[in-house]
Amino acid sequence: MFVMEYENNRNLCNFIAQKIKENSQNRITFADYMNWVLYHPEYGYYSINKPKLGAEGDFVTSPYLGSDFGEMLAEQFFQIWEIMDCPNAFTLVEMGAGQGILASDILLYLQKKYPDFFQCLNYIIIEKSNFLKAQQQHQLKKTLAASISIQWCDLEDIPNNNIIGCFFSNELVDAFPVHQIIVENKQIQEIYITLDSEIKFKEIIAEVSTEKITEYFKLIDIDLCSNLYPEGYRTEVNLVALDWIKTLAAKLNQGFILTIDYGYTAQRYYLPSRREGTLQCYYQHSHHNDPYLNIGRQDITAHVNFTALQLYGKDWGIDAVGFTQQALFLMALGLGDRISALSQPSNYSISEILQRRECLHSLIDPMGLGNFGVLLQSKGLSPSQQQIPLQGFSFPI
């Protein structure tokens, strides 16, 4: 495995170095670098045959703490279906489905508890990684057999104005490639990657690569050139997330977009004190902020700016329904009742009860997963449908 990883690393570095040499200015944006490091179809982190999630991977997400997270989401999806007057064909589109565990938990729960809803359900998975897609297909075939048809496709393959239902993602947007920017002499500049030697990379600073970066800060009403921000202030801009929400707006006919991820509102994201940005790398359950280590073998993420998703979505006909924290969202959907039930007599052993309690508390830990943001947006709802309160957003943030 080590030899294979080394070979992938070398091939990926050679590929990126060639891209730099082909550029007339002998540089690429950090966004291009991050895109190739994560998503190169042969050598990128999400393409290589290596565990990404769980105990054997580099990080753990909410579905790995038991089926409760997926079951709470299923409760929210059922209410959404009811709010939309129980359409005969309702589509759930999961974007970035990991190893298929979350999809399995959602569908098994709906099949058992809400069979009428389950019969109306179409399930689509959007997944770039062929490696992860194979794991998803294995997981879902094992747990659901032929009880529901699940479709894999690219987002671009879905016709515009087609989906009646809900797009949703869990820890997806944080892995979109970001531009890195820096404040120099009261001006916004961009971080680029060039070559220090044949395949050794170094950063340089120059003018921004696109006016979209300037427009981004106008959209969210943040002025990095003001006296509030120190010289050398460094942060990120996720333009891919804006293109993504625009695409979802075009594909959605009627329904919702649910985004769960770690991130902040714009005012919190671009605090003057957060002068190093939010970029993090994850490798074997440890994290650091050097994206030039373990190239192609580590995850690279940046926090999500939920304000940008809300405001840009509004420009494309998407209404903001609610924004809350994962802890409040899950408690409103009944996770607190599950925690309370653990104190009642049961057939579980003490060790099993303690393990389950630990998992449930991890989902709402304010220093971890519980602090994730949960954003719900909608399109095409009638005025009466818009007035119905969403269960998961009944606790104000």
Side-chain angles (χ1 to χ4, degrees):
M1 177 65 78
F2 177 79
V3 173
M4 184 182 298
E5 285 190 7
Y6 175 79
E7 187 71 16
N8 279 333
N9 173 271
R10 188 178 64 179
N11 289 335
L12 182 57
C13 288
N14 285 332
F15 173 84
I16 295 172
Q18 184 61 36
K19 289 296 182 180
I20 292 172
K21 293 173 183 177
E22 291 172 358
N23 183 273
S24 60
Q25 296 174 299
N26 204 40
R27 69 191 191 195
I28 59 173
T29 66
F30 184 84
D32 284 336
Y33 171 82
M34 184 172 170
N35 182 53
W36 286 320
V37 164
L38 294 182
Y39 300 110
H40 184 282
E42 189 173 356
Y43 310 125
Y45 174 75
Y46 283 104
S47 300
I48 60 175
N49 186 10
K50 169 184 178 292
K52 314 296 190 295
L53 303 106
E56 298 179 354
D58 298 311
F59 53 93
V60 172
T61 59
S62 294
Y64 285 82
L65 297 172
S67 62
D68 301 272
F69 180 73
E71 291 171 2
M72 296 295 94
L73 286 184
E75 288 286 351
Q76 187 61 87
F77 295 144
F78 175 70
Q79 190 205 8
I80 283 174
W81 179 64
E82 288 190 313
I83 287 173
M84 294 174 61
D85 301 322
C86 305
N88 291 329
F90 183 96
T91 302
L92 282 176
V93 184
E94 183 178 2
M95 299 164 289
Q99 294 176 320
I101 293 173
L102 181 57
S104 177
D105 291 339
I106 290 169
L107 291 170
L108 285 172
Y109 185 79
L110 292 176
Q111 184 181 36
K112 181 178 179 181
K113 188 170 182 183
Y114 301 114
D116 290 345
F117 178 32
F118 185 80
Q119 291 300 318
C120 299
L121 198 57
N122 302 309
Y123 205 95
I124 295 175
I125 292 178
I126 308 296
E127 180 58 67
K128 282 187 175 183
S129 168
N130 288 329
F131 171 66
L132 289 175
K133 190 182 298 181
Q135 290 189 312
Q136 293 158 15
Q137 291 170 342
H138 174 75
Q139 170 71 22
L140 292 165
K141 182 179 180 181
K142 177 179 68 176
T143 57
L144 285 150
S147 58
I148 185 172
S149 174
I150 301 173
Q151 179 184 355
W152 279 262
C153 68
D154 294 331
L155 196 54
E156 295 73 21
D157 295 334
I158 298 175
N160 285 349
N161 207 38
N162 178 262
I163 297 297
I164 296 174
C166 183
F167 286 93
F168 75 100
S169 62
N170 178 57
E171 293 195 58
L172 170 72
V173 183
D174 65 87
F176 287 170
V178 295
H179 293 262
Q180 283 206 308
I181 62 168
I182 190 168
V183 176
E184 281 202 339
N185 300 318
K186 298 298 179 184
Q187 289 187 320
I188 295 176
Q189 302 283 284
E190 186 162 1
I191 305 292
Y192 293 84
I193 315 299
T194 189
L195 290 172
D196 193 28
S197 61
E198 187 62 26
I199 57 170
K200 186 177 180 182
F201 306 121
K202 70 174 183 179
E203 296 180 347
I204 58 173
I205 298 170
E207 71 284 350
V208 295
S209 59
T210 170
E211 279 301 308
K212 290 181 179 179
I213 292 174
T214 305
E215 294 166 3
Y216 176 92
F217 285 104
K218 289 180 181 177
L219 173 73
I220 61 175
D221 195 25
I222 295 290
D223 182 9
L224 295 187
C225 300
S226 74
N227 292 329
L228 293 173
Y229 292 90
E231 182 76 0
Y233 183 88
R234 181 166 173 157
T235 189
E236 310 87 25
V237 171
N238 192 336
L239 296 180
V240 175
L242 302 189
D243 293 336
W244 174 75
I245 203 71
K246 176 183 174 182
T247 300
L248 298 190
K251 305 300 179 184
L252 187 62
N253 179 306
Q254 182 190 35
F256 294 83
I257 301 168
L258 180 67
T259 307
I260 304 174
D261 223 314
Y262 46 89
Y264 308 112
T265 60
Q267 291 295 328
R268 288 188 61 202
Y269 195 115
Y270 297 108
L271 282 172
S273 59
R274 190 171 282 117
R275 58 182 302 156
E276 298 298 326
T278 71
L279 195 83
Q280 288 286 300
C281 307
Y282 293 86
Y283 182 68
Q284 296 181 353
H285 295 278
S286 64
H287 63 89
H288 58 87
N289 59 1
D290 189 345
Y292 309 109
L293 294 175
N294 308 310
I295 295 174
R297 294 182 290 151
Q298 67 180 9
D299 196 17
I300 306 176
T301 74
H303 282 52
V304 176
N305 178 356
F306 285 102
T307 301
L309 291 181
Q310 290 185 58
L311 294 176
Y312 201 68
K314 186 176 180 180
D315 287 345
W316 295 98
I318 300 294
D319 298 316
V321 176
F323 178 68
T324 190
Q325 294 172 337
Q326 177 169 304
L328 298 175
F329 178 71
L330 296 179
M331 292 295 283
L333 288 167
L335 195 68
D337 295 335
R338 296 186 177 213
I339 294 173
S340 298
L342 292 175
S343 59
Q344 304 300 317
S346 70
N347 294 324
Y348 293 109
S349 68
I350 294 296
S351 62
E352 289 172 329
I353 291 172
L354 291 175
Q355 183 180 18
R356 178 157 164 72
R357 187 188 300 275
E358 181 181 357
C359 289
L360 293 178
H361 279 287
S362 294
L363 290 172
I364 57 175
D365 179 3
M367 301 302 293
L369 295 170
N371 197 40
F372 276 27
V374 183
L375 174 65
L376 190 68
Q377 298 162 283
S378 71
K379 178 186 176 184
L381 301 186
S382 69
S384 60
Q385 290 170 335
Q386 292 174 349
Q387 296 302 312
I388 301 174
L390 271 291
Q391 185 179 346
F393 295 84
S394 58
F395 294 162
I397 193 169

